[in-house]
């Protein structure tokens, strides 16, 4: 029986990503539950939550980029930091207008962030645990398009953002579980 041992950089990165993905799962679930209570209108709590989500993505991308220095170029992750910072500012500005404006900004962010997530996950396939992130990135791109289209609906609503966060949370959980083997160096 032979055992393959991952390079130390990969197991360290996988371990950090695993913890990060568990945290991202928990955050997205809690965020979705709180957002559910306020998604009917664009009040202060909804705006705060909508700005907080991309800001959490900023913090996550920074942690991910730092962990990824030994396994590859973190440049796309730093691009995601910039995109998510712009999204947070854009959502804050759009919230002064109306729900359709917020949905357009949120949708554009979901498309770009999803593309970045997809590309990063594809480059990490050998690490393991990345198929859920590949699928999630693709779904994010599609969801972003639906947010933009939904902004033109007769009665646009923020509840679609909840439907965006919950599947994302589930994909982070699956990926965290699947990264367990790589984190142990196997």
């Amino acid at each position: 029986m032979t055992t393959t041992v991952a390079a130390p950089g990969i197991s360290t990165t996988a371990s950090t990503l695993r913890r990060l993905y568990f945290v991202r799962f928990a955050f997205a679930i809690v965020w979705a539950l709180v957002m559910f209570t306020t998604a009917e209108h664009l009040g202060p709590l909804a705006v705060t939550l909508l700005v907080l989500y991309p800001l959490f993505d900023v913090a996550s991308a920074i942690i991910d980029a730092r962990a990824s220095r030994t396994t590859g170029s973190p440049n796309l992750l730093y691009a995601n930091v910039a995109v998510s910072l712009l999204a947070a500012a854009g959502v804050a500005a759009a919230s002064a207008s109306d729900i359709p404006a917020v949905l357009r900004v949120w949708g554009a962010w979901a498309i770009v962030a999803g593309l970045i997530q997809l590309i990063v996950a594809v480059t990490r396939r050998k690490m393991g645990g990345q198929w859920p992130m590949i699928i999630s990135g693709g779904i994010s791109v599609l969801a972003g398009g639906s947010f933009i289209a939904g902004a033109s609906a007769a009665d646009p609503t923020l509840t679609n953002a909840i439907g965006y966060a919950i599947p994302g949370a589930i994909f982070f959980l699956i990926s965290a579980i699947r990264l367990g083997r790589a984190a142990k160096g196997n």
Side-chain angles (χ1 to χ4, degrees), residues 61-82:
I62 290 170
I63 291 166
D64 192 336
R66 288 181 180 164
S68 300
R69 286 186 202 150
T70 60
T71 59
S73 174
N75 292 340
L76 274 176
L77 295 165
Y78 288 123
N80 192 55
V81 168

Side-chain angles (χ1 to χ4, degrees), residues 10 13 40 48 52 61 70 88 95 108 115 127 133 140 142 147 165 167:
I10 291 175
T13 300
E40 293 301 317
T48 300
L52 181 62
T70 60
S95 68
L115 282 172
M127 180 187 309
M133 294 294 91
S140 184
L142 297 173
F147 290 133

Side-chain angles (χ1 to χ4, degrees), residues 82-142:
V83 167
S84 293
L85 281 171
L86 286 172
V91 166
S95 68
S97 182
D98 56 10
I99 289 176
V102 169
L103 288 173
R104 286 183 191 97
V105 172
W106 190 270
W109 170 63
I111 290 168
V112 177
L115 282 172
I116 292 171
Q117 180 182 17
L118 176 64
I119 294 166
V120 168
V122 165
T123 64
R124 291 179 172 165
R125 279 187 331 270
K126 291 182 182 179
M127 180 187 309
Q130 293 304 301
W131 282 108
M133 294 294 91
I134 291 169
I135 295 166
S136 180
I139 290 172
S140 184
V141 171
L142 297 173

